[in-house]
Amino acid sequence: MHIHYISEQNSILNHFLAQIRDVNIQNDSMRFRKNIERIGEIMAYELSKTLDYKNIDVQTPLGIKHTTTIAEPVVLCSILRAGLALHQGFMSFFDNAENGFVSAYRHHYDNDDKFEILVEYQAAPSFEGKNLILIDPMLATGQSLVAVLHKLHLEQKPKEIHIAVVIATPEGIEYLEKNVPENCHLWVAALDEKLDKHNYIVPGLGDAGDLAYGIKL
C-alpha cells in the first residue's frame, strides 16, 4: 500500500483541519460540513496528480489545442453517512465521476467496547478498469474500510484503489496494510496519535457524522 501524507507541508489544508477540530467552532454544523468539503477538494487535487493521463485535441474558437485528460474513468464511493461532505468535495473536482455509496457502522453486542462492522447497503457502479476512490473521513481501526472493500466485490479489478481519509491513526494504517490489495493508495490529510481504549481517535475531532448532520439515536 502506498501512503500519501498531504499535510506535511504547511498549506490552507492545515487551517481547515484546525477548524474542524476546534470545539469552539464545531457547534456550527454548516461550517463543519463546508470545511470537510474543502478538505475533500484539496485531497482530490493532490490525488489527481498521480492518475494516468492521455493526449487529446480540443477545438477552440481559434484553433486546436493539444492537451491531456484523465485516461481512465473515476468512481467515487463514500461510506454513509459521515463520508457525504468529503464526497461532495471530491465531486467538485471529479465532476464526471460515477458515484457509489455504502453503509457501514459499528455494532456493539452488549454496549461494551467490543464490536463488529456491519455493511448493509450498497449502491455502486462497476469498478472494472476504473480508478476507485473510497472516501471516509476517519480511519480509526480500519475495520470499516476493509469490510466495505470486501462488500464492493473487488473481483471486478479496479485499475487502482485510492482510499481518502481526513484523519488516520497508526493502528488503522497498520490494519489496512495487512488487509487491502497491494495496488491501494492511502491519502491522509492528518495523522493522529493513537486510538483510546474505546477505539476512538485521539486527539481526533469527535464523531464526524454527528458533527456534520446531527446526533443520531
Side-chain angles (χ1 to χ4, degrees):
M1 184 174 72
H2 309 279
I3 306 176
H4 310 264
Y5 298 103
I6 63 174
S7 63
E8 291 182 334
Q9 294 183 334
N10 284 326
S11 75
I12 193 67
L13 172 65
N14 289 337
H15 174 76
F16 297 139
L17 286 168
Q19 288 195 351
I20 63 173
R21 295 181 190 270
D22 192 330
V23 295
N24 297 310
I25 299 175
Q26 286 185 344
N27 61 347
D28 186 341
S29 60
M30 183 174 68
R31 188 172 179 183
F32 182 87
R33 290 194 303 272
K34 186 61 178 178
N35 281 335
I36 291 287
E37 182 180 337
R38 289 164 168 165
I39 292 169
E41 292 173 347
I42 295 169
M43 297 184 75
Y45 174 72
E46 294 297 329
L47 189 157
S48 74
K49 298 176 183 179
T50 68
L51 300 179
D52 290 333
Y53 287 76
K54 62 183 179 181
N55 296 320
I56 61 170
D57 292 334
V58 175
Q59 177 70 60
T60 80
L62 300 175
I64 300 293
K65 174 60 181 176
H66 306 292
T67 185
T68 60
T69 190
I70 295 173
E72 289 85 19
V74 172
V75 178
L76 305 175
C77 188
S78 65
I79 299 178
L80 300 173
R81 64 181 167 150
L84 290 175
L86 191 63
H87 188 114
Q88 186 64 43
F90 273 82
M91 283 182 64
S92 295
F93 277 47
F94 295 110
D95 52 354
N96 291 322
E98 298 176 276
N99 295 271
F101 302 91
V102 182
S103 71
Y105 65 94
R106 296 181 181 183
H107 174 63
H108 296 266
Y109 291 104
D110 300 310
N111 294 319
D112 58 13
D113 294 333
K114 296 180 180 179
F115 63 88
E116 68 170 338
I117 302 298
L118 296 184
V119 182
E120 296 183 339
Y121 173 82
Q122 172 187 343
S126 169
F127 311 121
E128 186 69 37
K130 303 174 184 177
N131 296 294
L132 172 61
I133 303 177
L134 184 59
I135 298 165
D136 193 16
M138 312 295 282
L139 172 57
T141 67
Q143 294 179 44
S144 294
L145 283 164
V146 170
V148 166
L149 283 173
H150 290 163
K151 176 71 172 180
L152 292 176
H153 305 299
L154 291 185
E155 63 269 16
Q156 294 181 56
K157 294 182 176 57
K159 181 179 184 293
E160 285 189 329
I161 301 170
H162 296 268
I163 299 172
V165 301
V166 176
I167 298 176
T169 64
E171 297 94 328
I173 291 174
E174 181 180 2
Y175 187 80
L176 288 188
E177 288 179 317
K178 295 177 180 177
N179 292 281
V180 301
E182 292 183 0
N183 68 332
C184 271
H185 291 258
L186 175 63
W187 296 84
V188 179
L191 178 63
D192 273 16
E193 180 182 344
K194 63 181 180 179
L195 291 173
D196 67 11
K197 64 180 181 180
H198 304 294
N199 288 312
Y200 293 116
I201 299 175
V202 177
L205 53 74
D207 189 301
D210 287 358
L211 290 167
Y213 301 108
I215 296 174
K216 56 187 174 294
L217 294 176

